[in-house]
Amino acid sequence: VQLVESGGGSVQAGGSLRLSCAASRSTTCMAWFRQAPGKEREGVATINSRGRITYEDSVKGRFTISKDNAENTLYLQMNSLKPEDTALYYCAADDGKWILGDIRCVEYTYWGQGTQVTVSS
């Protein structure tokens, strides 16, 4: 699966950005991760084929993950951006793993190249 992100950029605190991730085919699991300089990569938001969504606590109420299934495109709408949101944002995807009779999104096999988001105070 090829993943191509776009939509990153530089904004002032309080501003908004919308990230997009075009996938070469559909997958069960999709997510956004980010990595700031000197920090470990962290999950930001996830969505599965059943529409189940999760968010990292610091972005709840500010970020919205969505998916256009017809276009195999993942989005991340980011509002009320803060300087601490500055990071390289990655799109990730996986076909899911069968665990105890259900498909779970526990790890991600496919990754995009990343798109930089910079928020200035």
Side-chain angles (χ1 to χ4, degrees), residues 103-115:
I103 292 182
R104 305 287 179 88
C105 300
V106 295
E107 59 186 13
Y108 292 84
T109 304
Y110 309 105
W111 293 83
Q113 80 287 353
T115 185

Side-chain angles (χ1 to χ4, degrees), residues 1 25-30 49 92-98 102-110:
V1 179
R25 64 168 174 85
S26 64
T27 57
T28 300
C29 314
M30 296 197 79
S49 58
D94 194 78
D95 292 314
K97 304 292 186 296
W98 278 102
D102 194 12
I103 292 182
R104 305 287 179 88
C105 300
V106 295
E107 59 186 13
Y108 292 84
T109 304
Y110 309 105

Side-chain angles (χ1 to χ4, degrees), residues 70-87:
E71 297 292 332
N72 291 329
T73 301
L74 181 72
Y75 300 100
L76 185 68
Q77 178 66 45
M78 304 185 294
N79 298 328
S80 302
L81 283 161
K82 304 175 181 180
E84 50 264 44
D85 294 318
T86 295

